[in-house]
Amino acid sequence: MRVMPLVDEVRVDTDAVLMSHTGVPLTRPTTFRFTLDVNSDQHQKLMSYAGSFRLAYNHQIGRVKANLAQRAAEKTYGIADADLTPALSWSKVSFINHMNAWKNGQDPTSPVNDDGTRGLSWRAEVSADVFETASVNAAQALANWKTSKTATRAGKPVGFPRFKSKHKSIPVFRLRAKYSEGTTSPVRPTGPKSIRFPKLGELTVRQGTKQLRRMLAKGRFRVYAAAFRYEHGRWLVSITGVAAQFHPQRRTTTGRHRPRAGVDLGVKTLAVVADEHGRVLDTIEGVKALQHAQARLKLAGQRYSRTKSNSTGRVKAARRLGKIHRRVKALRAAVLHQLTTQLAQGYTSVTVEDLNAAGMVRNRRLARAVSDAAFGELRRQLEYKCSWYGTDLVIADRWYPSSKTCSGCGTVKADLSLSERTYSCTVCGLVLDRDVNAAINLAKYAPNFKKSQPHLVVA
Ligand SMILES: [Zn+2]
């Protein structure tokens, strides 16, 4: 599942660098995640917010689609470009303005109610921000499609935004925290296990709010938004914002005695860390609990598929499946965080493979140890954590043959099958664990590597 960064164009105080009460700049994008404990009224309310978000998003995508179709049809009739139905503006601001006019009954296309009034009759029951953030998301999705089509965007091609389906899309919505400096955040903890949100009021959370509470009190965190999602039968909220920089001592690599490190993600172990001299610095074991949970997940999935639809057994099996799913997800997230923190804090420089390159042949080795979705997440975490701790992050070129190269003499094998767990060099006689060999090569990686670089290649 891809997590969209929650960045809004319409933000408060974006141009000024925010400061904590003691003058530390707030430059560290940070997210606090909580699981909500809601009663059925609150659940209904959150669901209606998510429904409004979906409605607003689909409305925006729909009107752009209709506009594009209209113009395309007119073109086929031979209408001159100047006489075509004008193209809609896709800017976030124009989307927000249209949405407000449409739901408030001031747009020619606003819905008409039975009593003759115009606009969404129930609009006041939902925070206006839900409609606005949905509009921002729709504009962003369209912008992604446009830049992807014109090839100005890296990564996988992005399709034209799809409508959100009531049954297939995960219920989500977002509220922004708009407040000026020196005032209290509208999103704030009100107790050890409760958080207040704009318009929704106080909601109970399962995790402690102490850290968030303290950081807000000292001005060391500024809230931008709260993103809600309903997944596996529970509501989750991510509170995003910027936090104060770490103390300078934590942001420098001086005094860090560990050298440049190459990291290879493997099968037997989650990751192997080595230096350019061929020393293994660390082997990070995969978590047994994760493997165990994954095995249980498979079983629960099989059991679920054997139940009849609409049966009590299916409901029970689904509940069990959901529970194990959540555990696997949580364990996987914990493992990744541990690994990336260890790397970013421990070394002066960290080199990893380019896992994200679009169209890259999937690295099957890793598929079992870490899920495919974790590729991007690992990279994302390393990026921000390395910047937190002042560590250099080097992403090896996607053509760099870290596995096929002999870390002893530099010979590159033309072929190395995935089943070969040991690298044995026919030129210098080096015999080394495959993952260790790859990690050493990554540690040796020079950022100016060229694909055309002369290598001795042996078959
Ligand atoms: Zn060799």
Side-chain angles (χ1 to χ4, degrees), residues 191-400:
K193 296 227 163 154
S194 59
I195 301 177
R196 170 170 289 283
F197 297 96
K199 198 106 191 216
L200 288 169
E202 197 175 279
L203 295 173
T204 309
V205 293
R206 299 216 176 143
Q207 298 81 4
T209 60
K210 191 169 162 190
Q211 199 189 5
L212 176 60
R213 210 162 59 226
R214 279 189 166 175
M215 287 180 78
L216 282 173
K218 291 180 183 164
R220 289 179 65 83
F221 183 62
R222 161 136 200 143
V223 184
Y224 280 156
F228 293 77
R229 65 192 291 126
Y230 184 65
E231 212 176 1
H232 304 308
R234 59 178 70 179
W235 281 98
L236 308 167
V237 63
S238 299
I239 297 174
T240 54
V242 277
Q245 271 180 5
F246 283 137
H247 190 274
Q249 266 177 0
R250 291 181 76 185
R251 282 187 283 118
T252 166
T253 51
T254 352
R256 240 180 255 175
H257 299 297
R258 306 184 92 169
R260 290 169 37 135
V263 183
D264 184 75
L265 302 163
V267 175
K268 269 188 298 180
T269 48
L270 178 62
V272 176
V273 187
D275 70 6
E276 67 232 76
H277 309 298
R279 282 177 305 198
V280 175
L281 304 170
D282 211 344
T283 42
I284 298 153
E285 298 291 338
V287 176
K288 279 249 174 65
L290 179 59
Q291 284 158 10
H292 184 66
Q294 272 164 336
R296 281 182 57 203
L297 185 63
K298 203 176 154 194
L299 273 179
Q302 285 168 356
R303 236 171 256 161
Y304 173 83
S305 64
R306 277 188 223 120
T307 57
K308 290 201 181 86
S309 57
N310 296 325
S311 67
T312 332
R314 171 150 290 192
V315 175
K316 270 191 191 164
R319 204 173 296 146
R320 204 176 307 129
L321 190 62
K323 202 173 164 187
I324 303 172
H325 247 298
R326 281 198 297 276
R327 184 166 162 75
V328 167
K329 211 177 151 184
L331 282 169
R332 210 177 257 164
V335 167
L336 272 182
H337 270 296
Q338 242 170 20
L339 170 62
T340 52
T341 300
Q342 224 166 310
L343 291 171
Q345 280 187 336
Y347 303 93
T348 53
S349 133
V350 173
T351 305
V352 291
E353 287 171 286
D354 183 356
L355 302 169
N356 236 359
M360 182 180 117
V361 184
R362 279 270 165 79
N363 189 338
R364 290 280 161 218
R365 288 181 299 148
L366 219 139
R368 265 177 294 155
V370 190
S371 83
D372 283 359
F375 275 149
E377 181 59 15
L378 180 103
R379 165 88 171 266
R380 192 187 69 85
Q381 288 181 11
L382 273 178
E383 269 169 18
Y384 75 75
K385 287 185 188 176
C386 283
S387 84
W388 285 3
Y389 297 108
T391 310
D392 284 329
L393 175 65
V394 181
I395 309 290
D397 185 278
R398 57 192 281 209
W399 303 114
Y400 182 62

Side-chain angles (χ1 to χ4, degrees), residues 379-429:
R379 165 88 171 266
R380 192 187 69 85
Q381 288 181 11
L382 273 178
E383 269 169 18
Y384 75 75
K385 287 185 188 176
C386 283
S387 84
W388 285 3
Y389 297 108
T391 310
D392 284 329
L393 175 65
V394 181
I395 309 290
D397 185 278
R398 57 192 281 209
W399 303 114
Y400 182 62
S402 58
S403 299
K404 291 179 187 168
T405 307
C406 169
S407 60
C409 66
T411 307
V412 180
K413 284 195 183 193
D415 221 1
L416 181 72
S417 85
L418 292 182
S419 57
E420 284 176 60
R421 298 310 312 152
T422 307
Y423 188 98
S424 36
C425 181
T426 46
V427 177
C428 72

